[in-house]
């Protein structure tokens, strides 16, 4: 079985110079990895990741996750190859369908096919193959390849998804599945069963495919203040997660009000509609002991990696320190 791991993820809303020192702090506390979101309307992940590569020596780093509808597989392959070189072989590439594509007027016709072909194209390009690639969504004419020496052709690939069709389509190509936007242990057995069935059908050992879960995280000695901020941050994602997680069982009227408030950027109004019981399924929030208990329940449910997402604390540096000094040791003790 893959070992249990704990990583941190950053939102790309900071000055470029901030990412390196923050990542160095994460590494110094002993976390296993640093991910960077690639959400629409935020900074692209690649330059922050290069800063992180320059300031760290051990942690695994990568984008979680890039969508193939605004970033072509050619761009993904080139960027992750440079990141892998800069980090001396510590990079991974996360790919997902992505949210908020409607802002750009995009409605992908074959999203599952596009995800699989993205992984195939990236592998093809990193191998510097000159053979043609003839997909239904993406095509490479052949006769040429990336025009520089790529450090590693087999950069690990991560699929961000909740869907069984995407898992089945991509299981042969990825080393990890990430379920984002949740801290709910009730979803883990279902996703793990889907990963296991897909791996067996593809002739892979299920234990060779990791399962990661990640969500908004706010930790503070003042648990009430931590939950208040987490509610506001999680409200942005709740309308999306509610469509994906049937175990949330949110009353339709409440969900409609949350969705309307979030659409109007009234995140305080949306947050006021999220009770504590629902928040615990959407975010890691509260005191260090409470956050550690939430993460521990996910490991017990069958997750191999927990990713603690932004903003981490009332102040990001304080949150990282509390996670490193109080939460991570508790998880290492099991």
């Amino acid at each position: 079985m893959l070992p249990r791991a704990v990583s941190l993820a950053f939102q790309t809303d900071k000055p470029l110079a901030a990412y390196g020192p923050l990542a160095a702090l994460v590494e110094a506390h002993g976390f296993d990895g640093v991910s960077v979101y690639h959400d629409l309307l935020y900074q692209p992940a690649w330059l922050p990741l290069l800063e992180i590569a320059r300031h760290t020596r051990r942690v695994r780093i990568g984008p979680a996750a890039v969508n193939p509808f605004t970033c072509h597989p050619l761009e993904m392959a080139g960027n992750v190859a440079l990141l892998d070189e800069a980090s001396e072989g510590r990079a991974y590439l996360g790919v997902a369908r992505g949210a908020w594509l409607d802002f750009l007027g995009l409605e992908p016709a074959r999203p599952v096919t596009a995800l699989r072909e993205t992984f195939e194209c990236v592998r093809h390009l990193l191998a510097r193959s000159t053979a043609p690639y003839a997909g239904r969504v993406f095509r490479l004419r052949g006769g040429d390849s990336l025009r520089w020496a790529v450090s590693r052709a087999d950069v690990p690939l991560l699929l961000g998804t909740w869907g069984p069709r995407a898992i089945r389509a991509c299981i042969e190509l990825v080393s990890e599945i990430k379920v984002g936007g949740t801290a709910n242990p009730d979803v883990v057995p279902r996703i793990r069963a889907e990963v296991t069935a897909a791996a067996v059908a593809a002739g892979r050992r299920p234990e060779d495919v990791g399962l990661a879960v990640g969500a908004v995280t706010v930790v503070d000695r003042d648990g009430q203040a931590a939950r208040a901020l987490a509610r506001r941050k999680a409200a942005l994602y709740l309308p999306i997660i509610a469509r994906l997680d049937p175990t949330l069982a949110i009353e339709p009227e409440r969900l409609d009000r949350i969705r309307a408030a979030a659409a109007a950027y009234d995140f305080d109004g949306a947050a006021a509609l999220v009770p504590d019981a629902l928040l615990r399924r959407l975010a890691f929030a509260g005191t260090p002991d409470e956050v550690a208990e939430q993460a521990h329940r996910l490991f017990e449910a069958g997750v191999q990696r927990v990713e603690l997402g932004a903003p981490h604390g009332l102040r990001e540096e304080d949150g990282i320190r509390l996670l490193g000094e109080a939460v991570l040791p508790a998880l290492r003790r099991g």
Side-chain angles (χ1 to χ4, degrees), residues 205-278:
R205 299 193 315 161
E207 58 267 31
D208 290 340
V209 183
L211 179 59
V213 167
V216 165
T217 303
V218 184
V219 64
D220 196 83
R221 299 292 183 190
D222 183 343
Q224 184 173 349
R227 284 186 286 275
L229 178 57
R231 275 190 186 85
R232 193 177 188 281
K233 297 295 183 180
L236 175 65
Y237 302 97
L238 177 53
I240 297 167
I241 301 306
R243 296 198 302 266
L244 301 170
D245 184 354
T247 73
L248 290 182
I250 307 173
E251 309 96 300
E253 186 271 339
R254 180 187 296 271
L255 182 58
D256 287 344
R257 292 170 64 196
I258 292 171
R259 186 179 290 116
Y265 300 97
D266 178 13
F267 298 120
D268 290 329
L273 296 165
V274 180
D276 280 353
L278 177 57

Side-chain angles (χ1 to χ4, degrees), residues 70-131:
T70 61
C71 185
H72 192 279
L74 175 66
E75 302 296 327
M76 293 189 202
N79 279 307
V80 80
L82 289 171
L83 180 62
D84 202 47
E85 177 185 339
S87 64
E88 299 182 319
R90 293 182 285 123
Y92 80 89
L93 173 64
V95 180
R97 179 192 182 278
W100 306 298
L101 293 174
D102 57 332
F103 179 80
L104 303 176
L106 295 176
E107 182 58 46
R110 294 188 291 266
V112 172
T113 301
L115 288 171
R116 179 182 175 91
E117 291 184 4
T118 295
F119 290 125
E120 290 176 340
C121 271
V122 167
R123 278 274 176 264
H124 192 95
L125 290 159
L126 291 179
R128 301 182 70 202
S129 171
T130 58

Side-chain angles (χ1 to χ4, degrees), residues 4 56 101 151 188 210 216 222-223 226 230 232 251 281 284 290 309 334:
R4 293 179 175 183
T56 58
L101 293 174
S151 301
V188 174
V216 165
D222 183 343
R232 193 177 188 281
E251 309 96 300
R281 293 169 173 256
F284 301 99
E290 289 169 331

